[in-house]
Amino acid sequence: ASMLAEARISKAEGVIRGVVLLNKNSVNGAAGGGREYSEHAMQQLAEKAEGLPAYANHADKTEAFKPRDIRAAIGVHKNVRFDSSKQRVTSDLHVAEHQRDWVFSLAENMPNVIGLSPVARGLVRMRGNTEIVEELAAVRSGDLVSDPATTKGLFEHREEWRSANPTGGINMVIKLDDILTALREDKALTAAIR
């Protein structure tokens, strides 16, 4: 486990502190030019995300704002804050007791493979082929996913990761479902989470 992960994970309290919920720039975006969040939108996320639920994986886009399977709930975001110097939103992820084994295992052993990704609706304008998110209308959840769009792991945003890994590092694509299947003994729960 990395020293960074060890310093931020408190198994006794069930908390992973300082996880990156959103970074200013995202590789997502319908026009192929990515997405950028305004400072106002990031401040809104920090305000709206206090107590926000976290689920394992995103739901399909058509289901994103509909009720989620309760077995997919992994915890809640608390102490959500906007860091203007690093242009990102961070939180402390309070993990439900029955989800801690696999969530903490991933956070300790694979923090650069998994990350958080918010589910939100907002007002967007185009600048060339880049989507600019000006304002957030609604925030649904901050989900634990593989290959998050604005971060390169639980604790780093993409720019920090790129500067630390100038050659790109090892590009691993691992589906969270596959990890869950390997980690969980309860196959029924794993199947329900997908």
Side-chain angles (χ1 to χ4, degrees):
S2 72
M3 293 296 285
L4 181 65
E6 286 175 6
R8 297 189 178 180
I9 296 170
S10 172
K11 288 184 178 180
E13 296 173 279
V15 180
I16 306 173
R17 290 190 172 81
V19 294
V20 179
L21 187 55
L22 179 78
N23 181 45
K24 180 182 180 83
N25 297 300
S26 170
V27 296
N28 283 344
R35 183 179 299 144
E36 182 180 307
Y37 292 85
S38 70
E39 191 159 307
H40 176 65
M42 288 186 285
Q43 288 170 335
Q44 285 183 307
L45 178 64
E47 292 164 11
K48 294 175 184 279
E50 188 65 29
L52 196 68
Y55 295 96
N57 293 316
H58 280 325
D60 183 84
K61 287 186 180 192
T62 61
E63 305 289 315
F65 274 77
K66 293 182 180 174
R68 295 286 308 267
D69 186 326
I70 195 66
R71 292 169 289 190
I74 61 170
V76 295
H77 294 278
K78 294 184 180 178
N79 191 25
V80 184
R81 56 231 178 250
F82 170 56
D83 182 340
S84 60
S85 66
K86 293 189 177 179
Q87 292 291 291
R88 65 184 181 187
V89 177
T90 61
S91 77
D92 297 338
L93 179 59
H94 290 250
V95 183
E97 189 172 350
H98 69 287
Q99 301 284 31
R100 290 178 186 170
D101 286 348
W102 70 267
V103 172
F104 286 149
S105 178
L106 291 175
E108 289 173 330
N109 298 301
M110 306 171 75
N112 295 331
V113 176
I114 61 167
L116 292 159
S117 179
V119 175
R121 287 187 179 137
L123 301 176
V124 177
R125 70 174 168 86
M126 297 303 295
R127 185 180 66 212
N129 66 345
T130 301
E131 294 178 3
I132 308 297
V133 180
E134 296 284 5
E135 189 164 335
L136 292 182
V139 181
R140 177 72 172 97
S141 61
D143 300 340
L144 184 65
V145 300
S146 59
D147 200 25
T150 72
T151 66
K152 209 51 182 155
L154 278 179
F155 307 113
E156 302 172 298
H157 61 68
R158 284 187 181 272
E159 285 67 32
E160 286 178 358
W161 184 83
R162 281 193 191 111
S163 64
N165 299 277
T167 60
I170 300 170
N171 187 11
M172 295 174 64
V173 179
I174 298 175
K175 292 182 179 173
L176 189 54
D177 286 339
D178 297 338
I179 297 167
L180 288 174
T181 300
L183 291 175
R184 299 294 292 170
E185 294 177 3
D186 184 351
K187 303 296 187 209
L189 179 60
T190 303
I193 286 174
R194 72 167 183 281

